Amino acid sequence: MMLTFIASMCHSFIAETVTENRNKDNPSAISKHAGYYSACMLYAASLISNVVAPPLVYVLGLRFSLFLGAFFYAIYMSAFFHLTSWYLYSGAIADGLVSGLMWTAVGQYMTLNSNERTVGRNSSLMYMIIMSGTLWGGVFLVVMFGSKSDRDISLSTQYILYSVFTAVSLLGGLIFLMLPNPPEDRNEKKKLDDDQPRNHWGEVLEELYKSARLVITFDFLLIAIPSAFTGIELSFWVGVYPTSLSFTKSFSMNTNVMIALNCISVGLGELLGGLIFGVFGKKQTSVGRYPFMWLGTALSIVAYIAIWLNIPGPASFEETYEISVIHPNIALALICGFLLGFFDCCINSMIYPYISVQFEGQTKQAFALSKFFHSALSAVCLFYGSVFSIQVQLSILLVGTIISSISYTYGERRYHAKQRRFILESESSGRPLAQTISSISSDSFHKL
């Protein structure tokens, strides 16, 4: 997974800069905002993918679903060998149409290799490993840009970058095929005799029906809000913020190197977050995960305020020499990247175990729906990223992070209250405790 994300993160950080540079060379070939537009199309297409992902993952299997995600990402990367609008946008849409399979399979694979005690640790470590691609990708970009004085990304440099990205994506896909099979999902009871015929269309319709029932429950709505917000915050730190650094020409260094250093800073924040939440995995189970959510929220608010002070408004969509409240400061910009990475790890490390525990037996549907809302808001953010000033986007992030943390806190406290109630009922009725706990996650699903 890390290999695929080395390519993914590096590309996302430089995509808008690359398309803006190629637009200077040939305005008729590509829009200067094609980086934003292609990413927007990718996430919009993934809305469809996330709807049908649970039954398709069920039929195709986890490993092949992961492979398809990496393979089509390589196809998308290859569009940058000869940048034209139709090839770039077609590649983005094709990748989006299979990306839901990969993310649903990632969540399900992690769940099948975890239990309620280890899921917090495993999700943190998984996300840390995935996002460490940001760190190593940043090191690669420093090597590529560090010796160059040109503030534009040359065509020859672009060819080298995307040759590496495409190769790394394909290698990641091959590794997915070699993953060991996860333990059998005991909750879904999928044991079938070898000679028993399978009605795949019936299975597909059943999985879609499960998703439709789950999405209208109040318990899922509470996690859908922070899931949707992850789309906004991811699109900001992956697309909008690096582009703003690149377009802020009043920095005292090559802004392409700034992108690379910011990539490293974000990666370090992700790694630290993964280590902290992995080490305190058991503590999350005992005291709850929402205090960690609020820790990340507080740090993200600090980052939003600092970015507002440091980066000029138009930098999100055009090159500018303007000054914001203070003169653009390199160290402050990199610290903000670190805080954004830490918060991203925090919120995702809290969502994965929340879904795995609260929707046990329905994890494929829950992860797919979570990514559906994530993709929807990602597409929206990348669309307005080329229009709104960075201050407007920071205001949206500020409101969104507070609302998301409130929703997450209420959802988790509601789950634990339900858990305590069921335990008391089991003690009074003499029902086995294990049977009681396993019934909690599906309670709201069945009582519609």
Side-chain angles (χ1 to χ4, degrees):
M1 198 73 191
M2 181 181 72
L3 290 175
T4 304
F5 269 79
I6 288 176
S8 174
M9 291 297 104
C10 285
H11 157 72
S12 298
F13 272 59
I14 66 173
E16 180 64 13
T17 301
V18 168
T19 56
E20 198 270 345
N21 291 163
R22 297 293 76 80
N23 174 264
K24 291 180 181 177
D25 300 336
N26 185 3
S28 62
I30 197 78
S31 167
K32 69 176 183 178
H33 293 312
Y36 280 143
Y37 298 156
S38 62
C40 180
M41 291 179 185
L42 189 157
Y43 282 110
S46 71
L47 293 175
I48 300 173
S49 178
N50 283 303
V51 170
V52 300
L56 288 180
V57 170
Y58 181 88
V59 172
L60 296 173
L62 296 177
R63 293 185 299 180
F64 192 66
S65 298
L66 291 168
F67 167 76
L68 285 178
F71 178 76
F72 275 87
Y73 197 80
I75 292 177
Y76 175 39
M77 292 295 94
S78 68
F80 283 79
F81 291 134
H82 181 64
L83 261 180
T84 59
S85 296
W86 72 268
Y87 188 8
L88 177 64
Y89 298 151
S90 298
I93 292 171
D95 183 37
L97 289 174
V98 298
S99 64
L101 300 180
M102 183 172 71
W103 279 111
T104 300
V106 166
Q108 180 72 353
Y109 193 90
M110 187 272 296
T111 299
L112 292 177
N113 285 281
S114 306
N115 55 45
E116 186 170 355
R117 291 177 300 173
T118 62
V119 67
R121 179 202 64 193
N122 291 350
S123 63
S124 298
L125 293 177
M126 179 196 73
Y127 203 74
M128 180 185 72
I129 293 171
I130 290 174
M131 300 312 297
S132 64
T134 308
L135 173 62
W136 301 119
V139 172
F140 173 67
L141 292 179
V142 167
V143 172
M144 292 297 301
F145 296 145
S147 61
K148 303 180 185 298
S149 58
D150 190 357
R151 292 198 170 211
D152 287 344
I153 299 175
S154 67
L155 196 58
S156 60
T157 301
Q158 178 183 323
Y159 288 153
I160 295 172
L161 289 170
Y162 282 92
S163 295
V164 173
F165 297 164
T166 303
V168 167
S169 295
L170 290 173
L171 179 59
L174 293 175
I175 292 175
F176 282 144
L177 290 176
M178 294 185 287
L179 288 174
N181 285 319
E184 184 181 13
D185 187 358
R186 301 178 184 85
N187 299 301
E188 296 188 0
K189 307 292 185 184
K190 293 179 181 175
K191 292 182 178 180
L192 295 172
D193 295 330
D194 292 337
D195 58 345
Q196 181 179 347
R198 295 177 63 181
N199 181 0
H200 287 297
W201 282 111
E203 293 168 355
V204 168
L205 292 174
E206 181 183 358
E207 294 292 318
L208 288 173
Y209 176 68
K210 289 179 180 178
S211 297
R213 291 193 67 190
L214 180 61
V215 75
I216 60 175
T217 63
F218 182 65
D219 283 339
F220 186 80
L221 173 63
L222 293 172
I223 196 60
I225 293 172
S227 295
F229 176 71
T230 61
I232 300 177
E233 65 91 20
L234 175 71
S235 297
F236 180 81
W237 70 260
V238 165
V240 176
Y241 187 58
T243 299
S244 300
L245 296 179
S246 176
F247 287 175
T248 302
K249 298 305 179 181
S250 48
F251 276 116
S252 59
M253 68 182 302
N254 186 327
T255 52
N256 290 331
V257 178
M258 275 291 298
I259 295 177
L261 293 176
N262 177 65
C263 193
I264 293 175
S265 297
V266 171
L268 290 173
E270 298 274 7
L271 282 174
L272 179 63
L275 287 172
I276 290 175
F277 302 129
V279 168
F280 289 100
K282 292 183 179 179
K283 182 67 71 174
Q284 294 176 27
T285 304
S286 60
V287 305
R289 297 183 178 91
Y290 66 90
F292 295 92
M293 186 76 160
W294 282 103
L295 169 64
T297 296
L299 293 176
S300 71
I301 292 173
V302 172
Y304 300 152
I305 294 172
I307 294 171
W308 184 83
L309 296 172
N310 199 37
I311 304 298
S316 57
F317 53 83
E318 65 181 10
E319 294 183 354
T320 179
Y321 286 88
E322 290 184 18
I323 305 297
S324 187
V325 177
I326 62 175
H327 192 279
N329 182 280
I330 295 172
L332 182 59
L334 297 180
I335 290 171
C336 290
F338 175 86
L339 294 176
L340 292 174
F342 184 90
F343 175 61
D344 180 71
C345 183
C346 174
I347 188 170
N348 283 282
S349 295
M350 298 303 108
I351 287 176
Y352 273 93
Y354 183 109
I355 290 176
S356 298
V357 172
Q358 297 211 35
F359 301 103
E360 185 181 1
Q362 309 158 53
T363 51
K364 284 200 304 294
Q365 295 82 14
F367 278 118
L369 291 170
S370 172
K371 283 300 174 183
F372 175 88
F373 291 105
H374 167 95
S375 298
L377 270 293
S378 292
V380 171
C381 177
L382 289 163
F383 177 77
Y384 68 62
S386 62
V387 179
F388 290 168
S389 71
I390 198 166
Q391 282 79 12
V392 173
Q393 298 186 55
L394 289 168
S395 300
I396 294 172
L397 285 164
L398 180 63
V399 174
T401 188
I402 294 173
I403 293 175
S404 296
S405 295
I406 293 172
S407 178
Y408 185 94
T409 301
Y410 181 72
E412 189 178 45
R413 290 175 67 88
R414 172 183 165 89
Y415 171 77
H416 287 305
K418 188 189 302 182
Q419 189 179 48
R420 289 191 295 270
R421 187 180 72 250
F422 271 72
I423 291 173
L424 290 174
E425 290 177 358
S426 70
E427 291 175 348
S428 61
S429 64
R431 184 168 54 166
L433 182 59
Q435 179 184 347
T436 299
I437 298 298
S438 65
S439 68
I440 296 173
S441 60
S442 60
D443 178 61
S444 61
F445 180 67
H446 294 296
K447 294 182 179 180
L448 295 179

